[in-house]
């Protein structure tokens, strides 16, 4: 069954711990991104793990293969379950990340590739030399490239997951942000889908932030999403 990951888009370890406690036992997986990790470092990962929760460390590594290899090992030692890299870091970098993770055997973190940031449009791609490909073409090409070179899965929009899950090998993980239960505020997200639609299209992990963090009753908001995907 698809898993629910709550994005800890907060600024401090104390706030993160308070949110996790407020959400309660129904959610077992949390995303720590650049804002929180840069503020609090590995201690916040340890704090989330100490509460018995799994961690998606979303730092989107993009560097030379040796540096990414060592960063993945550092994340694996912290006990994280999912980590992100940029697919445009190239074949050797993706392989270095996958091989570094694999050294941890049963506790190896899964390596997820980012294809094209959803903030980029066609003219942004042209600015960085990607000419003659639409963002959708570039997503499809980079997704295949990342999986062929050892990534375990992809971070992608719920609008992309259907086509990607049909074209990539079975067992590929699809992590989708931009998920909104029917009736929830969309906020600054432009291309959203409901939890059920995302999972029906192949999403294996839903990343949800504000619809749970900012809800009047966060545990109830989480339970509603879990019930929606459990009923499929
Ligand atoms: O609050 P909301 O549910 O929109 O949060 C979604 C989370 O997923 C945020 O942490 C956001 O940075 C992340 N994300 C996203 N879109 C992407 C990649 C990551 O919304 N393309």
């Amino acid at each position: 069954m698809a898993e629910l990951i709550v994005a800890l888009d907060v600024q401090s370890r104390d706030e993160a711990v308070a949110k996790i406690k407020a959400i309660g036992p129904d959610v077992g997986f949390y995303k720590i991104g650049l804002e929180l990790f840069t503020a609090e470092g590995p201690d916040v990962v340890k704090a989330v793990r100490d509460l018995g929760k799994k961690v998606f460390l979303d730092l989107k590594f993009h560097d030379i293969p040796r540096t990414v290899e060592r960063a993945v090992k550092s994340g694996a030692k912290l006990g994280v379950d999912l980590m992100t890299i940029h697919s445009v870091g190239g074949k050797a970098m993706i392989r270095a990340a996958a091989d570094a993770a694999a050294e941890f055997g049963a506790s190896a973190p899964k390596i997820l590739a980012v294809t094209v940031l959803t903030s980029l449009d066609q003219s942004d791609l042209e600015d960085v030399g990607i000419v003659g490909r639409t963002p959708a073409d570039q997503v499809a090409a980079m997704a295949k490239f990342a999986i062929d070179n050892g990534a375990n899965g992809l971070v992608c929009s719920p609008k992309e997951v259907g086509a990607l899950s049909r074209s990539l090998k079975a067992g590929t993980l699809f992590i989708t942000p931009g998920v909104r239960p029917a009736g929830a505020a969309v906020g600054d997200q432009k291309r959203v889908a409901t939890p059920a639609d995302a999972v029906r299209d192949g999403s294996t992990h839903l990343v949800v932030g504000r619809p749970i963090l900012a809800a009047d009753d966060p545990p109830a908001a989480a339970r509603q999403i879990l019930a929606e995907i459990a009923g499929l």
Side-chain angles (χ1 to χ4, degrees), residues 7 9 31 60 118 155 177-180 188-189 207-211:
D9 292 328
K31 177 170 89 82
K60 301 187 180 67
T118 47
V155 181
V179 175
R180 289 291 178 270
D188 56 2
Q189 296 282 9
V207 177
V208 180
R210 289 161 290 182

